[in-house]
Amino acid sequence: MTLVGWAQIALVLALVVGCAIPLSRLIAGLYAGENNFLTPVLGPVERGFYRLAGVDPEREQDWYAYTIAMVVFSLAGFLSLYALQRLQNFLPLNPRGFDAVAPDLAFNTSTSFITNTNWQNYSGETTMSHLTQMLGLTVHNFLSAATGLAMAFALVRAFARSSANTVGNFWVDVTRVTLYLLLPISVAGALVFVALGMPQTLQGAVDATTLEGVKQTISLGPVASQEIIKELGTNGGGFFNANAAHPFENPNAWTNLLEIWSLLLIATASVLAFGREVGDTRQGWAILAAMAVFFIVGVGIAYWSESAGNPILTTLGVDPSAGNLEGKEVRNGQAMSILYTVATSGTSTGSVNNMHDSLTPLAGMVPMFNLLAGCIWPGGVGAGLYGFLVVAIIAVFVAGLMVGRTPEYLGKKIETREMKFAMLAVLLYPLSVLGFTGASVLLQTALDSLGNSGPHGLSEIIYLFASSNANNGSAFAGINGNTLWFNSTGGLVMLLGRFAYVVPVLAMAGSLAAKKKVPASAGTFPTDGPLFVGLLVGVIVILYLLQYFPALALGPVVEHFLMLSGKTY
C-alpha cells in the first residue's frame, strides 16, 4: 500500500460524492414527477412515447399492478433478446458472419441482461453480432437499469406518502429514468470515451501483422456506446471477453477513473435522493455512511492483501515489492485495480479491470462477501437502495424489540406484515446460493467445469451463484460456465435473485404506502445519526456472517492459510 495509491482512491470517491449531490436533486425530481432543465427538449419525446403506448401518465398503479407491469415488461425483453440471439445469423450488421447463439447460452444471456446481471458465458467479440450487441445487449443495459431504479422509486414513495393506495406508474418511471437520466449522461460519456481512445465503429475487425510476421485479427465494434451504459447502469457486460481489462474497453488511466466514477455515480446519488424525497436529507446520508463503512473496509482489506504479494510466487523468485500483479493490467495500477474490484462488487456492475480469480484469498473474499450480501454498498442502480432499505427495516425492528416499542421507520410502523416480506426477501439469497452450490459439488458434470480443485474450486462455484443471485455478473473465471448445467441453473438463480426478491419488496411498499405517517415522539428511535449507522452495520455483519460463515471459512479462509504455508490452493 502506498500514500499515492490511497490518494488516488480518495480522489475518485470524492469526485463520486461531489457529483452525486447535484445529481440527487435531478433523481428526486424524477421521483416526484417534476420538470427539469431537460424537459423543454425531451418533454415532447416523453409525451410521444405515452401516446404510442397508450399510457396515461396521470394514472398511478397500486403495488400489484406495478409489479405485473414490471414482470410483463421484463418477459417481453427476455423474449425479444432470446429471439435476436437465435436469429442473428439471418439478421444484418453481422460483419463477421457469426452463427446463431446456442439455446442454453441464449437463455442464460437473456436472463442475465433483463435482470441487470450481465453474466457472460461467452466472448462478445467472437459470439455476438453488432446488431445483437447494440439492439439487444446495449438496449437492455438501459432498460434493466431503469427498471431497477423504478422499483426503488416505488419503495421510496411508500415511505414518503401517507395513507396512499398507489406507489407510482411503472411505465412513467421507466420512461423518465431512461430519457432524463441514463440517456443524456450516456451520450456525453460515450463521446468522452471516444475522445480518450475507445473504438466506436460498425467495422467488424481489422487485420494486422505482428513483429513476428504473424497475421492477427483485431476485433472492433461499437464499444464506447456500450461501455458507458455498462458502467452507468451498473450492468457490467463488456463488448470483449476481457471486459474493462481490454485496452479497447479501458485504454488508459483517464478511462479507468471515469469508469469507476460512472459505476458508482447513480447508485450513490439515488441514496441521497432518497433522503430528499422523504423530506430529511440526513436519512440519505445515514444510509450512505453505513454503506461507506463496508466499502472502505473492503478496499482496505483487499488493498493490503494484494500489496503484500503471494508467498507462493515469492518462493519462485517473483519480486513481492509490487504486490500481487497476477491478473492485473500494469497501466491500471494496484490501487485503482482494487478500487475497481470493490466498486464493481459493491454495486451490481460486475465489470472487471483485473481478474478476480487471480486475487489473493483475502482480497478475493472481499468481492465474494459483497456478492453474498447482495451488492448493496452502494448497490446497483435502484437495486442497492431498495436492498439496503430492507436491511434498515430489519434493523429498526431489532431496535424496537430491544427497547420494547413498536418499530418505526420514517414515520411508518414496521409490523408483522412488513417483517414477513423483508425476511422472505433476505432468506431467499442463501437458499438459492448455497442450495445450487451444494447441488453442483455433488455433480461430476459441474465439477468438470472447474479450473481448480480443493478450496478454490469451491470458491469458484460459490462465486458463480452469488454473482448470479446478486445480479452482479463478475466471476472467478477459472470456472467454465458455458455448459448446460451452469447456463440453466445460473439463469434460474438470476431470475430468482431479481424477481423473487423484488416482489416481496414491492408488496412491502404497498403495505407501507397504505399506512398513515405518524410524527416522531420522544421515544422514537432516531434513524439519522451515528447510533443508527452502527446498528445497521451490526445487523448486516450478524445477518450475513451467520448465513455464509461456513462457506467463507471452507473457501477463502482455508485458501489464505494454504497460501501462507506455501501450498497451492
Side-chain angles (χ1 to χ4, degrees), residues 15 75 111 135 163 177 233 238 245 248 269 281 284 290 309 316 319 338 369 386 399 425 443 472 474 533 536:
L15 285 173
L75 178 60
T111 58
L135 186 59
S163 303
V177 169
F248 285 177
T281 56
L316 297 176
D319 183 5
I338 292 302
F369 180 74
Y386 65 67
L443 292 174
N472 179 267
S474 65
V533 172
L536 268 177

Side-chain angles (χ1 to χ4, degrees), residues 127-364:
T127 306
M128 301 294 182
S129 70
H130 287 353
L131 184 67
T132 303
Q133 293 268 26
M134 293 188 295
L135 186 59
L137 308 187
T138 302
V139 166
H140 280 85
N141 283 346
F142 283 93
L143 298 181
S144 65
T147 299
L149 195 53
M151 292 186 287
F153 278 17
L155 183 57
V156 172
R157 290 191 187 107
F159 285 110
R161 296 177 176 181
S162 181
S163 303
N165 296 320
T166 60
V167 294
N169 185 311
F170 174 79
W171 309 111
V172 173
D173 288 342
V174 168
T175 302
R176 288 176 62 81
V177 169
T178 304
L179 276 181
Y180 295 107
L181 182 64
L182 298 177
L183 268 174
I185 301 177
S186 294
V187 170
L191 292 174
V192 172
F193 279 159
V194 169
L196 291 172
M198 279 189 204
Q200 181 69 20
T201 177
L202 295 180
Q203 187 175 359
V206 294
D207 292 329
T209 302
T210 67
L211 294 176
E212 293 81 10
V214 178
K215 179 183 175 182
Q216 181 179 7
T217 300
I218 301 175
S219 298
L220 294 172
V223 180
S225 57
Q226 181 167 330
E227 192 69 18
I228 180 61
I229 188 57
K230 137 189 160 180
E231 309 293 7
L232 190 68
T234 60
N235 296 282
F239 191 93
F240 297 97
N241 184 46
N243 209 277
H246 195 288
F248 285 177
E249 283 200 32
N250 193 3
N252 51 57
W254 287 109
T255 57
N256 194 52
L257 184 152
L258 288 173
E259 288 187 22
I260 299 172
W261 174 84
S262 299
L263 66 89
L264 290 170
L265 178 63
I266 294 180
T268 303
S270 299
V271 177
L272 300 180
F274 157 72
R276 294 180 184 277
E277 180 65 10
V278 299
D280 185 357
T281 56
R282 295 174 299 176
Q283 300 291 341
W285 284 106
I287 294 291
L288 188 60
M291 292 176 169
V293 169
F294 290 98
F295 188 94
I296 294 171
V297 169
V299 170
I301 293 173
Y303 192 14
W304 168 80
S305 182
E306 288 297 292
S307 298
N310 188 328
I312 297 175
L313 297 179
T314 302
T315 59
L316 297 176
V318 177
D319 183 5
S321 62
N324 177 35
L325 291 178
E326 179 190 338
K328 294 185 178 63
E329 295 295 310
V330 177
R331 70 181 185 278
N332 295 330
Q334 192 75 260
M336 296 300 278
S337 295
I338 292 302
L339 179 60
Y340 201 117
T341 297
V342 179
T344 197
S345 57
T347 63
S348 65
T349 310
S351 61
V352 294
N353 74 348
N354 66 94
M355 298 300 104
H356 292 185
D357 201 39
S358 295
L359 295 170
T360 57
L362 288 185

